[in-house]
Each structure stands twice: as structure tokens, then as C-alpha cells.
Amino acid sequence: MATARAAVLLAGFILSAVLLMPLQWLGLKLGLPYARTLPNRYHRFLCRLIGIKVIRHGEPHSGGACLITANHTSWLDIPIIASLEPCSFVAKSEVAGWPFFGTLAKLQQTVFVERERRTRTAHSRNEIHARIAAGDRLVLFPEGTSSDGNRVLSFKSALMSVAQLTIVNGEEDREDDLVVQPVSVAYTGLYGMPMGRYFRPFFAWYGDMELFPHLWEAFSLGPIEVTVEYHKPVTIREIGNRKALAAYCEACCRDGVTRALNGRRDEGKEASAEPAEAVARPRVAGA
């Protein structure tokens, strides 16, 4: 049954993507409004197809321009977050060259950055700022890699410098601070039961895992439950500087993931802006 499930889901995933690719390409080429919302609808469909139940806590910021910062566990983070609201992602430049997935990323208007070249940080920051100023909601994974799903890695602050730039409010002709909202993603359930540390790596994509074998393993299991929590949005003016902002977002995501994995939804507390303790990083190069 597991093999049959994986085969059906993989075929459905590839076929649905191939059918929608030309439609999305045309929408982007002609600047049609549906090109912004189609990926959101597709990712909702994909979550239902794979058997992902997304449990949301908190509300997305709705008061203007916003940068979302999230912890990163798996390629599944993309359809999970994108199923909740129309958005695009910030990914490492290598993703653009990946077969099939690189094309999907481009069609969702992903911003590709060269994380290893610090001289390109200002260019990447300005591109992210321009996209947000134009009305896009961008999702940044500040860990710079993916984890095993049982912890949150240290957040890098380089691209947080985008929050130092203001956004012009066209209607009122004023400059507003860019809002940053942390979002935590935790893989919490399998077959309606709590997902333990043993099964979580089947859905987490990290280390030197190859993508397609991992896809097959993930599709052979399920359905799963994922808890997504939108934390308190802030501005860099409130926090102080980009390093403190990265620490605040990291603390929010670490607290959200810990509570979700332990089933303690009633014990939430506002995260502090103090730097979180550093943890060891696994080898991977995720988006």
C-alpha cells in the first residue's frame, strides 16, 4: 500500500504541476492578476493531495508590506506556507538550476540570492525590498539551510537588513517601516497520532539527502499534520537592529516549534529579543 500511495501521489504531483506550468507562465508574461493567486490555489490542492492537514495559529499581518521569516525543515515548507496565503520565497541561487523544481520556483517568482557571496548581500536586500514595496509577500528562511525538524537552527541576520529600509505608502505619501513577521512550522502528527523523533526525518529534508528518493519516502507515509503559527509582527525600529531582529524571529520560531511538538498550545508566550543559544548545524543545502 505504501508503494502504491507513493506512486499515485508522485504522479499526481508531477502531472498537476506540468498542466499548470504553461498557464502560470502565460499569466506572468501578460501580467494577469491570476498569476499571483494561482500558486496559492495549487499549493492548497497539493496539500490535500499529499494528505497534509495544516493547523494554523495566529493571523498573517494584514496592515501593509511584510517580510515573513520562517524556520526551514523540508521542501514541504513551501506548499504548506504558500497554501495559507499568496506569497513568494527567497531561495539560494542554486535552486534556479534544479530540474523541474527550479522551473516551479521561477514560476512562483522566487527571489534567488547568493548566500555565500557577502558582496551580493546589498543587491539581494534591494531586490527583496523592491518586491515587497511592489506588494509581494516574501518568505525568508534565515537559517540558510534546513534542519531535522526537531529543532530550530540559528537565524542569520544578513538579509534582515532589508528591514532597515522603509516602504513608501502611495495612498498617503508617507514612509512606513517594513514589518517582519516570524512564522514557525512544526511537523506534529502522522496518521492522527503524535509524530515522534523517529518519523520526523522522513519528512524533513536535510544533510546529504537526495531529493527524489526523499520525495518517494515522504509520499509513502501519511497523512500528516503540520502546525503553523504566525507570531507577533515587529519592525526593526521596535527591536533595535538587524541582529536583534534575527534573534527575536529565531526565539519566536523556536518557542512555536517547541510548544507544537510538545502539544502545549496553551503555554505560548511572547519571545524575547535576546540572542538565542547557538546549536550545531547539520549538512544540507536546502532552499
Side-chain angles (χ1 to χ4, degrees):
M1 289 297 293
T3 300
R5 171 184 165 83
V8 170
L9 294 187
L10 187 59
F13 167 50
I14 294 174
L15 180 60
S16 60
V18 168
L19 289 175
L20 288 178
M21 277 179 176
L23 185 62
Q24 178 67 1
W25 178 85
L26 183 63
L28 291 174
K29 203 73 173 175
L30 299 180
L32 301 177
Y34 77 77
R36 175 174 169 77
T37 58
L38 182 59
N40 170 244
R41 297 172 183 170
Y42 170 69
H43 288 302
R44 288 205 304 263
F45 161 78
L46 190 58
C47 285
R48 289 194 296 269
L49 174 70
I50 299 173
I52 302 175
K53 179 181 179 181
V54 182
I55 303 168
R56 193 191 79 185
H57 297 281
E59 295 294 331
H61 174 72
S62 59
C66 181
L67 172 68
I68 298 169
T69 61
N71 61 293
H72 193 23
T73 299
S74 170
W75 60 272
L76 287 171
D77 297 340
I78 307 298
I80 288 166
I81 296 174
S83 72
L84 296 174
E85 57 176 325
C87 61
S88 297
F89 294 82
V90 179
K92 64 179 185 178
S93 56
E94 295 94 306
V95 173
W98 290 359
F100 186 69
F101 289 95
T103 302
L104 287 177
K106 292 173 184 176
L107 289 174
Q108 196 163 349
Q109 298 181 281
T110 296
V111 176
F112 299 104
V113 300
E114 298 181 59
R115 292 183 181 271
E116 304 305 320
R117 294 180 59 186
R118 295 191 177 184
T119 56
R120 300 287 294 173
T121 298
H123 174 79
S124 299
R125 176 200 65 192
N126 292 339
E127 184 177 359
I128 292 170
H129 176 265
R131 286 283 300 277
I132 295 175
D136 290 343
R137 294 179 70 85
L138 290 184
V139 180
L140 172 67
F141 297 117
E143 291 162 297
T145 185
S146 50
S147 73
D148 62 2
N150 293 307
R151 55 183 173 168
V152 173
L153 306 180
S154 296
F155 278 22
K156 298 177 181 179
S157 65
L159 291 178
M160 292 289 191
S161 61
V162 69
Q164 296 171 333
L165 306 176
T166 56
I167 301 293
V168 176
N169 187 319
E171 295 181 358
E172 300 181 14
D173 195 27
R174 70 168 191 267
E175 292 188 349
D176 295 331
D177 291 329
L178 174 61
V179 173
V180 179
Q181 184 169 32
V183 173
S184 56
V185 181
Y187 292 73
T188 53
L190 177 64
Y191 296 109
M193 301 292 289
M195 184 188 297
R197 298 177 68 91
Y198 174 80
F199 283 104
R200 203 162 287 119
F202 284 96
F203 301 96
W205 182 47
Y206 65 102
D208 56 359
M209 293 179 178
E210 295 184 8
L211 182 55
F212 280 98
H214 181 264
L215 276 173
W216 186 267
E217 279 191 335
F219 285 166
S220 67
L221 296 172
I224 66 172
E225 294 179 0
V226 179
T227 299
V228 177
E229 181 173 356
Y230 286 84
H231 298 275
K232 179 183 177 182
V234 296
T235 66
I236 201 166
R237 192 189 302 270
E238 295 173 302
I239 295 297
N241 56 56
R242 64 181 175 85
K243 290 189 177 181
L245 179 61
Y248 168 79
C249 294
E250 178 186 335
C252 286
C253 289
R254 179 171 284 115
D255 180 62
V257 168
T258 299
R259 286 186 287 107
L261 295 185
N262 293 334
R264 300 199 308 268
R265 287 298 328 146
D266 58 338
E267 297 181 16
K269 57 179 173 53
E270 189 172 312
S272 70
E274 294 299 320
E277 183 180 355
V279 296
R281 299 171 185 271
R283 287 178 304 150
V284 181

